[in-house]
Structures are given as C-alpha cells and as structure tokens.
Amino acid sequence: MSRGSGKGLSLKDKLDGNELDLSLCDLNEVPVKELAALPKATVLDLSCNNLISLPSDFCSLMHLVKLDLSKNRLQQLPLDFGRLVNLQHLDLLNNRLVTLPVSFAQLKNLKWLDLKDNPLDPVLAKVAGDCLDEKQCKQAAVKVLQHMKAIQSEQDRQRQRKLQAEREMEKKREAEQRAKEALERELRKREKAEEKERRRREYDAQKAAKQEMEKKTKKETVHTRKPASSSRPPQPPRHKPSWSRSVLRVLLFVLFCILCTLAACKLTELQHQPLCISVNTLYEDVVAALQNHKTLQNMLQHNSHQ
C-alpha cells in the first residue's frame, strides 16, 4: 500500500489475527473497499495519519469492534456514524472535532471513549470529562451516549413537533381550501341564481313588449278597417221627431175630441143640453160654410173652362 492513497500494498500483509494496523501510513483517505473485504479485521488502527474526514461508506464497516482514529485532523464524523453498532472501543484523541453526529447515540455497545484534545463544544466537553484512565474512559462512553441520546430524543421531539405543526398547517390549509371552495361554490350558485333572475326579467320584459306590440298591431288593424266600412252606401238618416209632428198630433187629438163631442151631441140624449145645442149649431154653420165654399169653387172652375 503506497502512502497517501492506501493503494498498492495488500492489507493482508498488515493483518495480524483480527487486528489491522494502518497507523503512521500518512493516509489522506481510508481504503474502505479493501477494508470491507476483510471482515475478520475487527480491530482497526488508523492513528497518526492525515485524515481530515471519513467517507460516508466508512459506516458500512459494521464488523469493527475497536477503532483508533487518534492524532488525525478529523473535523467531523459521518452523519450515519451510528451504523457501527458493534463498536465497543473508540479513540478520537487529538483531532479537530467540535460536535458528534446525533446518530452517535445508536452505538449501544460502546464501552470506551476518548475525546481529549478536541475543540469540543463546552457542553459536550463537560459531559465527556477526562479520559486519563480506564474508568474515566468508560464513564465518558456512558455519559456521552446518554447525552447524545438526550439530544436525539430532543431532536425527535422537535421533529415530531415540527411534523405535528406541519400536519396542523396542512389541515389548516385543507380547511382553508375547503372553505375557499365552499365560498367559490356559493358564489357560483349565487351568480347562477342572479343570471337566472336576469334571464327571467329579460323574458318577462320581452313577453310584455310582445304583448304591447300585439295590442298596438291590433289597434292599428282596427283603425285600418274603419275606412273600409265607410265605403258602404250611406243609410238614410233617421229624423228625430220635430215640433211639427207634435203640433199635428195635438191637432189630431183636438179633432178627435171634437168629433167625439159632436157624435155625442148628435146621437145621444145630450143633444138637448145647452152645450150640445151650441155645438150642433156650430157644426151646421161649418157645414153650410163648406158647402158654400164648394159651390163657389165649382163656379170658378166652370168659368175657367169657359
């Protein structure tokens, strides 16, 4: 294996039982594929190299039980570092770590941990404490795991609260959407009702206009027919009773009364009454006058013939 790349030299030459020592190899990266081919190498020493970070597939080396990454330049561990669930011993001495990934809480088998000489977050540094002997390193593992589990639980709660808030927000949006859709349906319903009412008014107006037009047409037809009826031959005017007829009627009535009186005086026993005597005398005078008038008329006619 050449320096820097970790390629060129077989790792089997470095394997001693279940231990693989890659310390002081001036490595810049970890040969993950070659390590994955050696599942028997449960103890891996990568101390005293130039490692700045670990690749994400490093966490696939789940067979590791003991891992030494001390005296490198690691600034952070992979986010899924907790996949190394079989890890019991972890040495991170003298790196550049500030925090640990939350998945670190999943290292349930971790029994030994050294985080000295790292620029740790003050809270994490206080939790980890010193690792000057076996007991302190074991306590550091327990305390750090508890701390990371608490952080994980808090993050889970935050995630749950966030998820709940998102669900409530989604429900609120859905409720607002339903309310909006209901309002839109109500508006459409109202618009349809208004449109129907408008069409009904237009229909009534058209019907009224049609009826008015029919009435007007009928009147015009009646006015047009009147001159035609005037072409008929004029009927003789009816004469109203005049005053001459009234006078004639009075005279006839008077004459009738006279005749009745004369008949009564001539034919009844009233002829010897003074009134009837005067009437009979007047009648005889009138008859004599008429006879004289007739005789004079005949004489005149006779003279005219001569």
Side-chain angles (χ1 to χ4, degrees), residues 1-12 14 20-23 25-39 41 44-47 49-51 53-61 63-64 67-69 72:
M1 176 171 51
S2 64
R3 295 182 181 273
S5 64
K7 297 179 181 179
L9 181 64
S10 174
L11 296 183
K12 291 182 179 181
K14 294 280 186 177
L20 181 61
D21 187 2
L22 297 180
S23 62
C25 291
D26 198 22
L27 295 177
N28 294 320
E29 59 183 33
V30 179
V32 177
K33 292 183 178 180
E34 289 80 357
L35 292 173
L38 297 174
L44 177 62
D45 187 355
L46 290 170
S47 61
N49 283 292
N50 297 318
L51 300 176
S53 63
L54 299 177
S56 59
D57 57 352
F58 180 84
C59 302
S60 65
L61 304 176
H63 60 277
L64 294 178
L67 176 62
D68 189 352
L69 291 168
N72 278 281

Side-chain angles (χ1 to χ4, degrees), residues 5 9 20 29 39 53-54 56 68 73 78 100 102 120 124 145 148 180 189 211 223 240 242 245 247 273:
S5 64
L9 181 64
L20 181 61
E29 59 183 33
S53 63
L54 299 177
S56 59
D68 189 352
R73 293 184 292 169
L100 297 175
V102 178
L120 295 174
L124 179 59
L145 282 179
M148 297 310 298
K180 182 179 178 181
K189 184 177 179 181
Q211 290 176 352
H223 288 308
K240 295 181 180 180
S242 60
R245 288 192 175 188
V247 172
Q273 295 294 326

Side-chain angles (χ1 to χ4, degrees), residues 63-122:
H63 60 277
L64 294 178
V65 175
K66 183 176 180 180
L67 176 62
D68 189 352
L69 291 168
S70 61
K71 297 180 182 180
N72 278 281
R73 293 184 292 169
L74 294 174
Q75 298 179 3
Q76 61 182 8
L77 298 178
L79 294 177
D80 55 350
F81 192 80
R83 291 176 60 192
L84 302 176
V85 292
N86 294 313
L87 198 61
Q88 298 179 14
H89 186 108
L90 178 60
D91 193 346
L92 294 170
L93 171 72
N94 194 12
N95 277 280
R96 298 178 182 178
L97 297 172
V98 177
T99 61
L100 297 175
V102 178
S103 65
F104 199 92
Q106 299 173 12
L107 300 178
K108 58 183 180 179
N109 292 314
L110 189 64
K111 302 295 188 297
W112 194 97
L113 177 64
D114 188 358
L115 286 171
K116 292 192 308 296
D117 300 331
N118 280 282
L120 295 174
D121 177 80

Side-chain angles (χ1 to χ4, degrees), residues 262 280-294:
L262 183 60
N280 290 331
T281 303
L282 181 60
Y283 172 72
E284 291 176 357
D285 291 341
V286 171
V287 170
L290 289 173
Q291 288 179 352
N292 291 331
H293 177 69
K294 187 175 181 180

Side-chain angles (χ1 to χ4, degrees), residues 8-280:
L9 181 64
S10 174
L11 296 183
K12 291 182 179 181
D13 297 335
K14 294 280 186 177
L15 184 62
D16 182 9
N18 64 340
E19 297 182 7
L20 181 61
D21 187 2
L22 297 180
S23 62
L24 300 169
C25 291
D26 198 22
L27 295 177
N28 294 320
E29 59 183 33
V30 179
V32 177
K33 292 183 178 180
E34 289 80 357
L35 292 173
L38 297 174
K40 292 182 179 181
T42 58
V43 178
L44 177 62
D45 187 355
L46 290 170
S47 61
C48 302
N49 283 292
N50 297 318
L51 300 176
I52 297 177
S53 63
L54 299 177
S56 59
D57 57 352
F58 180 84
C59 302
S60 65
L61 304 176
M62 298 175 63
H63 60 277
L64 294 178
V65 175
K66 183 176 180 180
L67 176 62
D68 189 352
L69 291 168
S70 61
K71 297 180 182 180
N72 278 281
R73 293 184 292 169
L74 294 174
Q75 298 179 3
Q76 61 182 8
L77 298 178
L79 294 177
D80 55 350
F81 192 80
R83 291 176 60 192
L84 302 176
V85 292
N86 294 313
L87 198 61
Q88 298 179 14
H89 186 108
L90 178 60
D91 193 346
L92 294 170
L93 171 72
N94 194 12
N95 277 280
R96 298 178 182 178
L97 297 172
V98 177
T99 61
L100 297 175
V102 178
S103 65
F104 199 92
Q106 299 173 12
L107 300 178
K108 58 183 180 179
N109 292 314
L110 189 64
K111 302 295 188 297
W112 194 97
L113 177 64
D114 188 358
L115 286 171
K116 292 192 308 296
D117 300 331
N118 280 282
L120 295 174
D121 177 80
V123 176
L124 179 59
K126 184 178 179 180
V127 170
D130 291 329
C131 183
L132 301 177
D133 54 32
E134 189 73 13
K135 182 178 179 181
Q136 288 182 344
C137 293
K138 288 182 178 181
Q139 289 178 348
V142 174
K143 291 180 179 179
V144 170
L145 282 179
Q146 291 177 348
H147 177 69
M148 297 310 298
K149 286 180 180 179
I151 292 177
Q152 186 181 46
S153 298
E154 180 61 25
Q155 288 189 356
D156 290 341
R157 285 192 293 270
Q158 290 180 359
R159 192 160 41 248
Q160 288 296 329
R161 287 194 293 268
K162 183 178 179 181
L163 183 61
Q164 183 66 23
E166 290 176 352
R167 289 175 180 174
E168 291 178 357
M169 185 63 67
E170 182 65 23
K171 289 180 180 179
K172 184 178 179 181
R173 283 196 294 266
E174 290 177 356
E176 290 176 352
Q177 183 66 24
R178 288 194 296 269
K180 182 179 178 181
E181 291 175 356
L183 180 60
E184 290 177 353
R185 287 195 299 270
E186 184 64 24
L187 289 176
R188 287 195 296 269
K189 184 177 179 181
R190 190 180 303 172
E191 288 175 356
K192 288 182 179 179
E194 291 176 354
E195 178 66 17
K196 185 176 181 180
E197 180 64 19
R198 184 186 64 81
R199 295 205 316 265
R200 188 187 65 79
R201 289 197 298 267
E202 289 180 355
Y203 173 78
D204 292 342
Q206 291 176 358
K207 186 176 180 180
K210 185 177 179 180
Q211 290 176 352
E212 187 65 24
M213 184 64 70
E214 290 177 353
K215 289 181 180 179
K216 186 176 180 181
T217 304
K218 191 178 293 184
K219 287 181 180 180
E220 290 177 353
T221 304
V222 171
H223 288 308
T224 305
R225 289 177 179 176
K226 282 185 177 180
S229 61
S230 63
S231 61
R232 295 177 182 177
Q235 296 178 356
R238 296 179 181 179
H239 296 288
K240 295 181 180 180
S242 60
W243 64 271
S244 58
R245 288 192 175 188
S246 299
V247 172
L248 180 59
R249 289 177 182 175
V250 171
L251 291 176
L252 290 174
F253 179 73
V254 171
L255 180 60
F256 177 75
C257 291
I258 292 173
L259 290 176
C260 290
T261 303
L262 183 60
C265 290
K266 284 288 187 182
L267 301 175
T268 65
E269 295 178 353
L270 297 176
Q271 59 184 340
H272 299 294
Q273 295 294 326
L275 179 60
C276 286
I277 293 173
S278 298
V279 171
N280 290 331

